[in-house]
Amino acid sequence: MKRIRSTVALVCLVYLVCSYWSFGVAQTVDRSKPPELGPPPSLTLPAIQHLKLSNGLKVVLMEKHQVPLVQVNLLVNAGTAMDPAGQRGLASMTAAMMQEGAGSRDALAFADAADFLGANISVNAGMHTTTVSLFTPLSKLDSALALFADAALRPKFPAEELERNRAERLTTLLQWHDEPRVVGSTLFNDVLFGKNHPYGPPTMGDEKTIRGFNVAELKKFHSTYFHPNNATLIVVGDVTAKALLPKLNALFGKWKTGKVASSTWPSARQVESRKIYLVDKPGAAQSVIRIGRIGVARTTEDYYPIVVMNTILGGSFTSRLNNNLREEHGYSYGAGSRFSFLPMPGSFIASSDVQTDVTDKALTEFMKELTNISTITEDELTRAKNYVALSYPSDFQSVGDIAGRLADLVIYNLPDNYFNNYTKNILAVTKDDVVRVAKKYVDPEKIAIVVVGDMSKVEEGIRALRLGPIEKLTIEEVLGSKPVLGKM
């Protein structure tokens, strides 16, 4: 008994010592600064499988078996850049009408059938591609795929739905006249690219083209570009190649190939000097500011340094532009910048909506940051690279997210290891890289500056800055006359 008591006492003593030690260690934790971050983890995705149907239609598959869901995207090389001359908006209207009934179902019956399955089917026209998308529970995959195939291959293009879509777009055009942000973005794209470049005019079209579309033109656009040799199926979800291929072959295997002419476009002319464009919006409480120039194509070798540089300039909440205009001066709720990475050089834009009475001061701060971006610190570089690297996995949270990113792989012919190597390539960017691309792609002496606001309150201050020649425009000169609704 005495021996047992001694053992128990020893155990209690050890427990008290350990507890005291643990308590003591907890008290010595240094909470005066955040803990050191380890290296950003690399993204590791499941293997990308490249398959092909009996008619040659390419299939890109990524199996994700965590949840019983499937995303299927049909990516067709036909976007708003392929709008025929004088028919701006045709690709966009064709995509919208592909959701208005397909196969044996009219618009309401098609929507009801998708709702009954718990599936979502949509069609969207991008600049160079149109995407038909299906998101469905695995248990309804067979039925949902049949609907999806109808939408992609057998749209009905009913005339009555075209009139409804036409009326909706004309209403949207009318509403744009009261939206300074739309006015600013429309003018900015026009100034950079012009009316004859696919990145210039609004992708929806204008009043004249919208009023002119007919069913035959929509069907022709669809039949011209929708062929298996001009498309790729992207599938992500709880499926295997063995189970998937027979289903896809049954629905898409007889889709006939066709001759699709390659498209060419004129090159955009770079901004050669600084110029200001002012649009009067009487009574506006804020001024819309858009500043920029022609950027660079997605396939540039400078892609990773540009991403890091733009993160420092205006691509994050802690960026220089947002910190300056929002946090330090309180001119705006937010400011930022971005590069539009497309097959051809898109735009580089720095933008914000600022209080009317500080429009000139905000422009001064914009110019300051654009000028100083070629000077960065090692700390800024490290923080920007960590921001990009640590946030990158959030782009792959859902099967829809992943399918969307796989589209980049197809459009830009990127290697299969692109995603898994992304973090490594971002972390490899050096200070010299960032300085070099800042000097190359951000030139504050050769930019277009667009301001939409109350000119009675902002024009004098802007002129006093002497940033360059000024051209004044009306909203009607930017957007055209207001459409008269009800007149077809």
Side-chain angles (χ1 to χ4, degrees):
M1 179 62 73
K2 186 176 180 180
R3 186 174 181 181
I4 293 175
R5 287 175 178 170
S6 298
T7 302
V8 170
L10 179 61
V11 168
C12 291
L13 179 60
V14 169
Y15 173 78
L16 288 172
V17 168
C18 290
S19 299
Y20 176 80
W21 174 250
S22 300
F23 183 74
V25 169
Q27 291 300 303
T28 60
V29 170
D30 182 3
R31 300 187 186 281
S32 64
K33 59 183 180 181
E36 292 290 333
L37 290 176
S42 296
L43 180 69
T44 304
L45 293 173
I48 298 170
Q49 302 176 54
H50 295 273
L51 313 169
K52 194 171 284 190
L53 302 189
S54 56
N55 60 352
L57 176 59
K58 291 175 285 189
V59 179
V60 176
L61 169 65
M62 180 179 286
E63 297 182 21
K64 292 281 290 181
H65 299 289
Q66 288 84 353
V67 290
L69 297 170
V70 182
Q71 178 79 36
V72 185
N73 289 356
L74 179 69
L75 193 69
V76 180
N77 299 317
T80 58
M82 286 74 161
D83 283 336
Q87 290 186 295
R88 187 62 170 171
L90 182 60
S92 171
M93 183 66 91
T94 301
M97 286 293 294
M98 288 176 67
Q99 304 171 75
E100 304 292 358
S104 61
R105 296 177 174 86
D106 63 18
L108 288 177
F110 189 89
D112 286 345
D115 287 345
F116 179 76
L117 296 173
N120 184 279
I121 296 174
S122 62
V123 187
N124 291 289
M127 196 64 77
H128 291 268
T129 57
T130 292
T131 304
V132 187
S133 302
L134 164 68
F135 175 70
T136 179
L138 176 63
S139 60
K140 305 298 182 184
L141 178 60
D142 288 357
S143 300
L145 268 179
L147 278 178
F148 171 75
D150 279 344
L153 309 184
R154 293 172 288 277
K156 295 173 75 72
F157 297 115
E160 64 275 17
E161 300 299 340
L162 173 59
E163 295 310 314
R164 183 176 60 77
N165 274 275
R166 196 194 314 273
E168 286 180 356
R169 293 187 174 215
L170 291 173
T171 302
T172 299
L173 275 181
L174 178 62
Q175 292 170 337
W176 280 5
H177 285 253
D178 286 324
E179 296 180 15
R181 291 177 182 173
V182 176
V183 176
S185 297
T186 301
L187 177 57
F188 181 77
N189 290 332
D190 186 32
V191 167
L192 259 61
F193 298 102
K195 291 182 170 36
N196 295 322
H197 190 281
Y199 301 171
T203 57
M204 188 175 69
D206 57 28
E207 181 181 2
K208 182 180 179 182
T209 61
I210 291 171
R211 289 190 187 280
F213 294 139
N214 59 53
V215 169
E217 290 165 342
L218 304 182
K219 289 182 176 179
K220 182 180 178 183
F221 187 89
H222 180 269
S223 63
T224 298
Y225 292 103
F226 277 66
H227 296 287
N229 51 314
N230 194 42
T232 303
L233 270 171
I234 299 172
V235 184
V236 180
D238 191 12
V239 288
T240 63
K242 183 179 180 180
L244 179 67
L245 279 179
K247 302 179 193 295
L248 296 181
N249 263 318
L251 294 167
F252 291 92
K254 295 181 181 178
W255 189 16
K256 293 182 179 178
T257 59
K259 186 176 181 181
V260 182
S262 59
S263 301
T264 58
W265 302 277
S267 298
R269 189 174 179 181
Q270 182 58 278
V271 178
E272 296 178 345
S273 61
R274 192 162 59 207
K275 185 174 179 179
I276 301 98
Y277 301 84
L278 304 180
V279 183
D280 191 19
K281 178 63 177 170
Q286 292 186 326
S287 294
V288 168
I289 296 177
R290 303 285 185 264
I291 303 173
R293 64 202 308 267
I294 305 294
V296 63
R298 170 59 185 85
T299 49
T300 176
E301 294 180 351
D302 291 331
Y303 176 75
Y304 297 105
I306 290 174
V307 169
V308 175
M309 181 270 290
N310 188 61
T311 301
I312 296 171
L313 175 62
S316 64
F317 189 80
T318 57
S319 69
R320 291 185 181 183
L321 282 172
N322 196 59
N323 194 53
N324 183 330
L325 275 80
R326 174 192 162 99
E327 302 299 317
E328 291 183 18
H329 292 97
Y331 294 161
S332 168
Y333 286 117
S337 64
R338 65 182 174 85
F339 282 78
S340 294
F341 288 115
L342 293 165
M344 296 188 295
S347 63
F348 159 68
I349 182 171
S351 62
S352 183
D353 300 343
V354 304
Q355 300 172 48
T356 294
D357 61 344
V358 295
T359 302
D360 53 347
K361 295 182 177 65
L363 283 175
T364 299
E365 297 306 318
F366 265 110
M367 297 308 299
K368 171 185 163 186
E369 299 300 349
L370 293 176
T371 301
N372 292 341
I373 188 57
S374 57
T375 303
I376 68 166
T377 66
E378 288 289 350
D379 181 59
E380 282 182 304
L381 176 68
T382 300
R383 281 192 287 116
K385 291 195 295 187
N386 283 342
Y387 175 87
V388 176
L390 290 169
S391 61
Y392 191 61
S394 65
D395 293 346
F396 298 83
Q397 296 187 68
S398 69
V399 290
D401 292 339
I402 298 171
R405 299 312 300 261
L406 287 175
D408 289 344
L409 213 71
V410 174
I411 295 171
Y412 301 110
N413 195 29
L414 300 172
D416 282 2
N417 60 7
Y418 166 72
F419 301 116
N420 290 344
N421 287 342
Y422 189 89
T423 299
K424 181 183 72 175
N425 289 329
I426 286 293
L427 295 178
V429 173
T430 67
K431 184 178 175 181
D432 288 343
D433 291 333
V434 172
V435 171
R436 177 178 57 78
V437 297
K439 291 179 177 177
K440 185 175 181 180
Y441 299 109
V442 181
D443 186 345
E445 298 299 320
K446 298 178 180 178
I447 52 174
I449 300 174
V450 171
V451 180
V452 183
D454 189 335
M455 289 302 125
S456 68
K457 299 178 180 176
V458 306
E459 184 177 350
E460 183 178 350
I462 294 173
R463 287 187 181 278
L465 296 175
R466 298 184 183 279
L467 293 174
I470 291 176
E471 180 177 343
K472 294 183 67 175
L473 301 100
T474 64
I475 291 176
E476 284 70 25
E477 287 175 317
V478 177
L479 297 179
S481 301
K482 293 180 179 178
V484 179
L485 301 183
K487 176 186 174 184
M488 295 295 179

